[in-house]
Amino acid sequence: MPIYEIFVDLRSIRNLNNISMEKLTIQEEEVMIYIWELQCCFVKDIVAKYTQPAPPYTTVASIVKNLERKGYVTPKRVGNTYQYTPAIREMNINVIS
């Protein structure tokens, strides 16, 4: 199948599923993989998944906020922090990217 046809097929799949999600950056993709592994987590849990030296908490928190803005994670307020869960299944990411 020519590349053009594949592109058209992916566009039609996105339109059928009403998917209009932004593509992930490398950093966002890495955090998203951790969130899929943990399923339900806090930013501190994501930071703990990194090998040392881990990025600062505030950096990971900003990445998670971007994922929330893009619709990839769902926040739930717990006390004075947020618990995040994936809003999209891992297998769906291949259709989007």
Side-chain angles (χ1 to χ4, degrees):
M1 179 180 288
I3 293 172
Y4 175 76
E5 288 182 31
I6 293 171
F7 177 73
V8 171
D9 287 346
L10 287 177
R11 283 187 58 188
S12 63
I13 290 170
R14 287 181 192 161
N15 291 339
L16 288 175
N17 293 327
N18 293 323
I19 297 173
S20 60
M21 301 180 87
E22 293 179 50
K23 193 171 182 179
L24 296 178
T25 65
I26 294 168
Q27 294 83 5
E28 290 168 343
E29 187 175 341
E30 185 175 17
V31 168
M32 200 62 217
I33 289 169
Y34 293 145
I35 293 171
W36 280 318
E37 287 176 8
L38 296 164
Q39 285 299 304
C40 195
C41 60
F42 297 93
V43 172
K44 67 181 178 113
D45 300 325
I46 300 167
V47 173
K49 293 288 278 181
Y50 278 92
T51 57
Q52 294 301 321
Y57 178 96
T58 53
T59 300
V60 176
S62 294
I63 294 169
V64 172
K65 273 293 182 198
N66 289 339
L67 290 169
E68 178 186 342
R69 181 183 52 78
K70 291 181 177 183
Y72 285 91
V73 297
T74 305
K76 177 185 174 191
R77 187 148 179 92
V78 177
N80 58 351
T81 189
Y82 287 92
Q83 185 176 43
Y84 296 94
T85 55
I88 184 168
R89 290 181 300 186
E90 189 170 5
M91 63 185 222
N92 289 345
I93 196 69
N94 294 329
V95 174
I96 295 168
S97 30

